[in-house]
Amino acid sequence: ETGVTQTPRHLVMGMTNKKSLKCEQHLGHNAMYWYKQSAKKPLELMFVYSLEERVENNSVPSRFSPECPNSSHLFLHLHTLQPEDSALYLCASSQARTNPYNEQFFGPGTRLTVL
Amino acid sequence: ILNVEQSPQSLHVQEGDSTNFTCSFPSSNFYALHWYRWETAKSPEALFVMTLNGDEKKKGRISATLNTKEGYSYLYIKGSQPEDSATYLCAHNNAGNMLTFGGGTRLMVKP
């Protein structure tokens, strides 16, 4: 498989559930990102990982917990979410975090609904 | 300008029309300006990464220009086709590879 894949594509969860989103990149990149797109808002950067180390946490609540076990995989663990967390969650990767000229390659996203 | 702003928010054109839209961004600490194309139910796909003032890039019928001094970029589509229907996103990079996105311009091309 090529590019950036995300699973699941759709997720419905209750506020007390714990779930995880998975992202995998097959591009040999060193940096991975989580973005959130809420209705009628621009894409918002949540977390950045570079060589498996978290280098950016964009003031995201602790009910979102990222994990990057290796440079190909990125998870977003979800716990006691709120209905306002319902959104499209996109994963992306790039060759190097520090190079501003590298384009980011995106996955198709997970559509999350919190009931 | 503190944020990245795109206009218009949406645009309906007829097949064959040429069109353009705008991305405005903070002109300080500029590193790069990215354009992405996002079709419904697909992944955003990079179109251009622009870095120098006066840059002009072209890919088929789509081209983009960049003015870093005044903080804007234009995206042009010549002879729009229905398959050009998508949301076009711009993103400003002012540190490392941290992108700040605009809200996008949603283009619909009617056959």
Side-chain angles (χ1 to χ4, degrees):
Chain A
E1 223 178 323
T2 57
V4 181
T5 57
Q6 289 187 245
T7 54
R9 293 293 304 273
H10 300 271
L11 178 63
V12 179
M13 61 186 287
M15 289 192 283
T16 57
N17 291 159
K18 285 185 186 181
K19 296 283 183 185
S20 296
L21 310 185
K22 181 183 173 183
C23 174
E24 187 171 356
Q25 59 96 0
H26 309 268
L27 300 166
H29 288 163
N30 292 324
M32 295 187 79
Y33 310 79
W34 278 117
Y35 287 90
K36 175 184 177 183
Q37 187 177 45
S38 306
K40 313 259 180 187
K41 286 189 175 180
L43 271 173
E44 267 178 85
L45 181 65
M46 298 175 76
F47 300 105
V48 183
Y49 274 82
S50 177
L51 297 169
E52 299 143 46
E53 277 190 49
R54 191 191 314 179
V55 294
E56 180 75 17
N57 174 344
N58 207 18
S59 305
V60 179
S62 58
R63 57 186 184 269
F64 295 91
S65 172
E67 180 192 359
C68 188
N70 56 62
S71 58
S72 299
H73 293 87
L74 184 65
F75 294 89
L76 189 63
H77 304 300
L78 314 171
H79 176 48
T80 58
L81 295 194
Q82 305 296 311
E84 59 264 30
D85 297 321
S86 299
L88 180 69
Y89 290 85
L90 284 165
C91 172
S93 70
S94 70
Q95 276 189 327
R97 180 191 68 83
T98 52
N99 187 335
Y101 315 125
N102 288 152
E103 58 193 58
Q104 292 184 15
F105 290 77
F106 285 83
T110 295
R111 174 70 62 189
L112 174 68
T113 304
V114 182
L115 300 175
Chain B
I1 293 174
L2 298 176
N3 296 315
V4 180
E5 294 166 7
Q6 290 188 248
S7 62
Q9 281 191 328
S10 65
L11 192 54
H12 293 250
V13 301
Q14 285 295 134
E15 183 175 354
D17 286 352
S18 293
T19 186
N20 65 84
F21 17 96
T22 307
C23 172
S24 302
F25 54 87
S27 52
S28 58
N29 295 326
F30 176 84
Y31 282 83
L33 194 282
H34 297 233
W35 279 102
Y36 286 85
R37 180 170 178 273
W38 193 2
E39 285 183 75
T40 304
K42 293 190 177 178
S43 310
E45 195 181 307
L47 284 173
F48 306 112
V49 180
M50 308 183 77
T51 55
L52 297 174
N53 186 42
D55 247 0
E56 185 167 340
K57 296 215 170 178
K58 192 173 177 186
K59 190 182 279 190
R61 293 178 292 97
I62 304 179
S63 60
T65 59
L66 179 68
N67 182 323
T68 59
K69 292 184 180 178
E70 294 179 46
Y72 64 83
S73 175
Y74 293 134
L75 190 82
Y76 300 91
I77 302 180
K78 188 176 174 184
S80 304
Q81 300 297 308
E83 56 266 29
D84 296 328
S85 297
T87 296
Y88 291 83
L89 299 173
C90 71
H92 174 237
N93 186 330
N94 67 350
N97 206 356
M98 312 290 188
L99 297 181
T100 302
F101 280 85
T105 292
R106 189 172 173 219
L107 174 68
M108 284 151 283
V109 182
K110 297 179 219 174

